Amino acid sequence: MVSRQSLSRLVLQSSRIGIYYSIAALVAALYIVTEGLALVHAKLMIFGVLPVFVVSVAMAYGVSGLRQTDPLYAATASLALAAPIVAVALSVTSVALSRALPLAAALLYSFVPLAMGSLASRAKPDVRLSVGLLGLSLLLGGVELLAVRAGFFVRALLLLEVSVLGAIYAVSIHAFPSTFGDSPSTILSAATFALLAAGLALAIGGRARAGVLVASVPTITYLFAMRFERVGSYFAKAGQTRNPVARAGTLYFVDGHAFAAAFSAASFAAVVLWYFGMFTTLDVIHLLAIGLIGTYIFVHAPMMLPVILRWSSARRYNLTPYALLAVGAALWPVNMHVSFFFVGLAIVFLALIVKPSKHPYPLWLGE
């Protein structure tokens, strides 16, 4: 019989498989778009890269919030162990068949261990809230794929809002304030996910565009749920950290949330303009995917992925990846090829945070 400690390690190994798949699928998607296969690129991103990455990180995150003495720990960890593998297998099926149903099944399955973990955990309330909302984001994504009838790109936009961004909200609502000893707003956290659910309900009822609009409001409400209005004091606390590496990491974390907040406001404005016919669906999708979602991945990747993937990290935090990604997001509506160049360069500089080097990088945040 597998011990509880071994189960925890196996969950991380399973998450690694999903993350490596996501990275490989991302490389393939970025190459495919240069060959003019835009729809294949879109399906690979929507059915492959983003959902599998979210599921894989979510399982590692959810199990890390459990104690091995918690009720249902073994059952929760066992279900979480299978989730990334299931997500990879069904993602490949969805991409191959161009059908959303297999991926929907993977997201619905992944909801179960997170819901169990949230209910059974003896962790602090904000941790349980975060894990529970993370599970809810996957549930909403599965329902969206099953029940919404609209054009592919409108459905893709709504999926990004209710599931991928929903997962980001769930993690940020805990991670951002708790880093500085604060707790999230439970009321605004609930309101954020109620709005996501309301947008999904409108879309299921045949009003997909209105659903996308309603589901965009959480790009603003989650900021206050995670206490972003206190960002000035958080910057001050980060600057007072004595250890230079820890200070750089904390500043990188807060700076990333500031970049993301700017993209949150821009994304909400873009969806409003889109609703009134003044912005294209693809423009909004890429603003969300590159600007808002990409920035949050950049915030957490140098801190979380080395732990999950068992990489050593140089922890050379700097603002260059954020700046390059912001340029890439801004340029996509103007010239997608130039945007692609900056996004690729941003990924390179993100990797260089982890990769050891003897020399500081531009906008270095250390001494």
Side-chain angles (χ1 to χ4, degrees):
M1 184 174 180
V2 179
S3 69
R4 294 190 172 196
Q5 188 173 8
S6 297
L7 266 178
S8 181
R9 289 197 299 267
L10 288 171
V11 171
L12 289 179
Q13 290 175 6
S14 177
S15 293
R16 282 196 287 274
I17 292 172
I19 290 168
Y20 281 127
Y21 166 83
S22 301
I23 293 171
L26 175 62
V27 172
L30 293 178
Y31 170 74
I32 284 170
V33 77
T34 66
E35 296 294 316
L37 302 173
L39 185 58
V40 179
H41 162 83
K43 289 181 178 178
L44 193 53
M45 292 296 297
I46 295 299
F47 292 157
V49 177
L50 291 171
V52 175
F53 182 82
V54 169
V55 167
S56 301
V57 173
M59 294 307 114
Y61 178 81
V63 172
S64 71
L66 289 172
R67 297 183 178 93
Q68 293 183 9
T69 56
D70 284 341
L72 301 180
Y73 175 86
T76 300
S78 298
L79 291 171
L81 167 62
I85 309 301
V86 170
V88 169
L90 296 184
S91 164
V92 171
T93 306
S94 279
V95 172
L97 300 178
S98 294
R99 297 289 301 275
L101 180 60
L103 180 62
L107 296 181
L108 293 174
Y109 172 85
S110 299
F111 158 74
V112 177
L114 294 172
M116 289 173 59
S118 177
L119 293 172
S121 174
R122 293 170 179 161
K124 294 190 302 182
D126 58 328
V127 175
R128 297 176 63 186
L129 174 68
S130 178
V131 172
L133 293 178
L134 184 54
L136 179 57
S137 72
L138 297 178
L139 175 64
L140 293 176
V143 172
E144 195 270 355
L145 289 171
L146 284 175
V148 175
R149 298 291 178 263
F152 174 79
F153 289 109
V154 173
R155 292 175 64 196
L157 176 54
L158 184 61
L159 182 69
L160 291 182
E161 289 183 327
V162 301
S163 192
V164 181
L165 283 175
I168 287 170
Y169 303 152
V171 173
S172 300
I173 282 167
H174 163 67
F176 189 64
S178 68
T179 299
F180 302 97
D182 276 344
S183 298
S185 166
T186 303
I187 293 175
L188 288 175
S189 298
T192 294
F193 279 81
L195 286 164
L196 292 180
L200 177 57
L202 282 170
I204 292 172
R207 301 182 62 191
R209 291 181 69 88
V212 169
L213 180 64
V214 171
S216 72
V217 179
T219 58
I220 304 302
T221 59
Y222 92 97
L223 293 171
F224 298 97
M226 71 174 189
R227 310 294 188 186
F228 187 77
E229 72 275 8
R230 301 177 184 176
V231 67
S233 66
Y234 294 172
F235 268 118
K237 289 180 180 179
Q240 293 168 2
T241 305
R242 293 184 178 181
N243 183 291
V245 175
R247 180 170 62 250
T250 309
L251 286 170
Y252 176 85
F253 182 77
V254 183
D255 279 316
H257 282 81
F259 273 89
F263 275 115
S264 294
S267 297
F268 176 68
V271 172
V272 173
L273 293 173
W274 168 84
Y275 182 78
F276 289 106
M278 300 169 65
F279 222 61
T280 72
T281 306
L282 284 178
D283 285 343
V284 179
I285 286 174
H286 285 87
L287 179 61
L288 263 65
I290 299 173
L292 185 51
I293 295 169
T295 296
Y296 270 111
I297 290 174
F298 276 35
V299 169
H300 294 288
M303 301 175 187
M304 292 182 66
L305 293 191
V307 175
I308 297 173
L309 301 176
R310 294 190 300 180
W311 293 347
S312 60
S313 175
R315 296 186 295 175
R316 301 182 69 84
Y317 299 106
N318 64 93
L319 299 182
T320 308
Y322 294 143
L324 292 170
L325 194 67
V327 173
L331 286 177
W332 198 92
V334 179
N335 189 313
M336 66 181 73
H337 302 291
V338 178
S339 170
F340 174 82
F341 169 79
F342 278 97
V343 170
L345 200 59
I347 293 171
V348 170
F349 273 88
L350 179 70
L352 290 175
I353 291 176
V354 177
K355 179 179 172 58
S357 173
K358 295 180 180 179
H359 304 289
Y361 302 121
L363 304 182
W364 165 244
L365 291 172
E367 288 186 332

